[in-house]
Amino acid sequence: MKYQRPKGTADILPGESEKWQYVEEKARKLFKKYRYEEMRTPIFESFEVFSRTSGETSDIVTKEMYDFFDKGDRHITLRPEGTAGVVRSYVENKLYGPEFQKPYKTFYMGPMFRYERPQSGRLREFHQIGVEAFGVENPALDVEVISMAINLLKSFGLESLKLSINTLGDKETREQYRQALISYLEPFESELSDDSKERLHKNPLRVLDSKDEKDKKIVENAPSILDYLSDESKNHFDTVCNLLDSLGIKYVVDSNMVRGLDYYNHTIFEIMSDSKAFKGKWTTICAGGRYNGLVEQLGGPETPGMGFGLGVERLLLVLDADENQLPIENNLEVYVVGIGEVTNTETLVLAESLRIQGFSVERDYLNRKPKGQFKTASRLNAEFTLTIGEQELNEQKANLKYMESGNEIKVSLADVKNNFANLAEQVKKEG
Ligand code: ATP
Ligand code: MG
């Protein structure tokens, strides 16, 4: 029997995990500047949290849910996306209360699960970094969230990005548009894919999101939602466009764009990359929008919301393809060279003491000859080596070497344990 990871999952190994940490760290720092704080919600939720919000004709609900009944016969789902869980938590913890500032700004990062056909940039367990902001209608918030997403991607050195925006308007808008879209699509009904036939009357906006090539052709000439906007919706969208202009953010309006989830309204956006990683095909890395109404749907008071989700795997595909050298630091400060088995204990004591003093320390565990140990020390790019043999042990001394200059000094073990920083300074200066 050979064990393998489940289809569509990945092991993130050392060498790779540093990149993840780098990306997450950068995101945390940027979110702090925008005053977003982290929320950690459960990885599984009641099935209804997602089924009621994503939309019954969405890909997520129709085919992609990882759901099961637990031993207490509760219908559970591994979260397919981050927003619904955050909204559930927002309502349950009454974060809309007067003691909290508006907008209530929060971010999350972690694994999401969708039963998809695995391929490059599409997994069954994948990771998102996302933000949500609650309680503000002002289109300035929409634009700030979009700008934050772009700044995040730019901070990783991503250059060739495309921002697509659209509006899904308010309820009134969508009702008008829905009728127009059905009228347009009905004559093509027999030519549509099975999914789209199914969705035509239930949720025609979903047809616009079809990945079927024939559907895409049909949809090309569909009426534009922009011609059906209510005054309020038009006003909101125009303001968003003007504010993007004010920040000098370039965008294209794609009136056929809808999102994979049904809860969006007003502003929606996608940030795409045509990196080599995607063979030049514009691929969405980050997507989001407004979801006024979602908080109410999950039992809270009427509260507007705005957010985005960024696919970490897709971002890393771009970073790898661009040979974008991430400034990842993994410097070894001290390698303790212990010569002979008699030094085993002292090597342990020294290494531990140095680590407690704040240095990163490696040693040999295999009783190897000095030559082999020094080789490892330079392969690991150690800044210093601290060498101790039987004689040094008897004298309670060690040899400290600054690798860059090759300068060496004799140091007392007591000094190493008391104040290594001092000795490090000394051997560097003399070199
Ligand atoms: P798609 O149309 O590609 O299926 P979606 O509309 O389902 O995307 P969202 O729900 O908006 O995607 O998720 C936001 C981001 O999360 C995507 O832009 C993508 O970067 C990432 N993402 C979504 N699904 C997956 C997946 N199965 N594997 C890896 N990343 C994913
Ligand atoms: Mg999808």
Side-chain angles (χ1 to χ4, degrees), residues 95-160:
L95 304 177
Y96 46 77
E99 66 271 43
F100 298 104
Q101 218 176 318
K102 283 186 178 51
Y104 187 91
K105 303 191 234 179
T106 185
F107 75 87
Y108 60 84
M109 37 184 83
M112 307 292 160
F113 305 85
R114 296 185 194 177
Y115 194 78
E116 301 222 48
R117 203 163 59 78
Q119 48 196 290
S120 169
R122 197 175 288 286
L123 290 108
R124 290 184 174 173
E125 181 184 27
F126 64 101
H127 297 76
Q128 283 187 345
I129 297 176
V131 307
E132 317 291 352
F134 297 96
V136 165
E137 297 269 10
N138 186 345
L141 177 68
D142 307 30
V143 171
E144 200 176 277
V145 166
I146 293 173
S147 178
M148 178 164 66
I150 291 174
N151 287 339
L152 182 60
L153 293 173
K154 281 196 176 155
S155 77
F156 298 122
L158 267 60
E159 294 290 343
S160 177

Side-chain angles (χ1 to χ4, degrees), residues 22-33:
Y22 176 80
V23 164
E24 288 163 2
E25 195 53 40
K26 263 249 145 92
R28 280 178 205 285
K29 283 208 175 117
L30 184 75
F31 294 158
K32 205 165 206 173
K33 294 203 176 117

